[in-house]
Amino acid sequence: MEEIRVFCPATIANISCGFDVLGVALDAVGDEMVVRKTHEKGIRITKLEGQDLPLETKKNVAGVAGLAFLEKADYNGGFEIEIYKKIKAGSGIGSSAASSTGAVWAMNYLLGNPFSKTDLVKFAMEGEKLASGVAHADNVAPALFGAFTLVRSYTPLDIIPIKNPSELFATVIHPQIEIKTADSRKILKTNISLENGIKQWGNVGGLIAGLFTEDYDLIGRSLEDHIIEPIRSILIPGFDDVKKEALSAGAMGCGISGSGPSIFAFSKGKQTADIVADAIKKTYQNIGIDFDIHVSKINSEGIKIIK
Ligand code: HSE
């Protein structure tokens, strides 16, 4: 096969308690990419629609991730990439991760899958480094593995795939303002109190246990963030109101998606997720900032080939 078209899912990173270690892939939102083998060596971005982003290979996250892949691949040719962005940059639902992972996943596929998914996470992290200054893996891992993932360790990289409870749905509201991940990382404190640490790792453990045992109450109780949300939520207009409305509409939990400004809520069943969407839509209409809203099931396979 010389060329493929792939769907690259949007992702929610952190999931409240798991800053830089937890993430989940969505099904209803994502980019599309076409990746083609070429005789000419190197990576060329030949088309980029939907967003104003650089075409230059070394300035584009897909290009940089692709170069990291090529450096390790036993392959004499190169690749052309077309990117059709549906996820806005700076939205907090893994725009850069979708492009970085789509590129390396498709290249790997076209070469007969010489690399493992964990290898691909490493290559895609180079794209994240270009986008935010930090090679975090909590968006790229779920995009590549599907469902939920835990980055148990960065050195060495150890990704733990976590299956998704079948009735779990996400509602995501994306206010049309841009928050750069690099900026929203700069405002974080680098030290945490032992008291907050204890609460946070209790919740991480609870969330993982809840996901594996499909215990929706436990998942809901564990969606708390004592460290990052109190600081970052200040950047998101109406965050507290949205959270209050989502929870009273029946969501199990609600928090900042990645570095924001998107806000996510988890619900049991699509019906509740739709009710939550209506409730937070109303709240946001009163704020007067434009927004997109998505209700999505969890994407359990990650990147996939499309016709
Ligand atoms: N863990 C990263 C952060 C995710 O919160 O900065 C960015 O999408």
Side-chain angles (χ1 to χ4, degrees):
M1 199 188 275
E2 295 301 299
E3 130 174 3
I4 50 168
R5 190 177 189 103
V6 290
F7 169 80
C8 322
T11 44
I12 298 170
N14 302 336
I15 318 182
S16 296
C17 52
F19 179 69
D20 274 1
V21 298
L22 286 174
V24 63
L26 299 177
D27 208 42
V29 208
D31 292 343
E32 289 185 17
M33 289 171 88
V34 174
V35 177
R36 189 174 301 120
K37 279 161 109 176
T38 57
H39 292 299
E40 202 181 326
K41 291 192 168 102
I43 309 276
R44 273 160 307 281
I45 319 282
T46 52
K47 214 185 240 187
L48 206 166
E49 288 180 5
Q51 286 282 280
D52 188 16
L53 292 165
L55 279 171
E56 202 182 311
T57 306
K58 286 192 174 156
K59 292 190 176 158
N60 183 290
V61 297
V64 167
L67 289 174
F69 174 99
L70 267 192
E71 205 183 290
K72 299 276 182 220
D74 181 18
Y75 171 55
N76 243 338
F79 295 96
E80 272 178 14
I81 304 176
E82 296 173 11
I83 308 172
Y84 302 92
K85 293 294 297 174
K86 307 251 169 67
I87 313 171
K88 294 196 180 96
S91 58
I93 48 170
S95 178
S96 50
S99 301
S100 310
T101 55
V104 297
W105 189 93
M107 290 174 191
N108 197 43
Y109 186 88
L110 290 172
L111 297 189
N113 293 318
F115 294 111
S116 71
K117 282 185 183 169
T118 300
D119 291 333
L120 298 182
V121 169
K122 282 184 202 152
F123 303 141
M125 283 165 73
E126 292 301 314
E128 293 293 62
K129 197 168 160 191
L130 175 71
S132 69
V134 177
H136 61 92
D138 50 341
N139 290 104
V140 295
L144 286 161
F145 282 80
F148 288 81
T149 51
L150 168 73
V151 185
R152 192 209 53 84
S153 151
Y154 273 86
T155 42
L157 191 63
D158 187 7
I159 310 286
I160 315 296
I162 301 160
K163 74 178 184 102
N164 58 291
S166 53
E167 290 178 79
L168 191 64
F169 278 78
T171 306
V172 179
I173 183 159
H174 169 212
Q176 303 293 294
I177 53 172
E178 186 183 350
I179 297 182
K180 290 202 166 73
T181 298
D183 295 337
S184 70
R185 291 183 80 93
K186 273 188 209 136
I187 62 168
L188 299 176
K189 297 194 180 114
T190 48
N191 291 310
I192 62 164
S193 68
L194 183 59
E195 189 190 346
N196 279 340
I198 291 168
K199 290 183 198 158
Q200 203 85 349
W201 52 67
N203 281 320
V204 173
L207 181 53
I208 306 277
L211 290 168
F212 273 118
T213 57
E214 304 221 4
D215 182 336
Y216 293 88
D217 286 338
L218 176 56
I219 295 170
R221 294 204 297 284
S222 308
L223 291 172
E224 283 185 337
D225 179 0
H226 295 279
I227 295 170
I228 309 295
E229 187 179 291
I231 301 172
R232 278 187 173 167
S233 57
I234 295 158
L235 303 175
I236 306 171
F239 177 80
D240 292 339
D241 291 338
V242 167
K243 184 165 178 169
K244 209 169 98 216
E245 290 305 319
L247 295 177
S248 29
M252 289 147 46
C254 176
I256 302 171
S257 177
S259 53
S262 289
I263 303 168
F264 79 96
F266 283 161
S267 301
K268 184 178 181 189
K270 176 149 191 315
Q271 209 183 343
T272 308
D274 285 332
I275 295 169
V276 169
D278 282 343
I280 58 183
K281 231 187 246 174
K282 285 197 192 108
T283 314
Y284 234 84
Q285 273 155 354
N286 292 334
I287 292 169
I289 295 175
D290 287 343
F291 59 87
D292 288 337
I293 197 149
H294 311 281
V295 172
S296 178
K297 72 176 167 74
I298 305 306
N299 170 341
S300 45
E301 57 203 313
I303 294 171
K304 51 193 164 194
I305 298 177
I306 47 176
K307 292 265 155 63

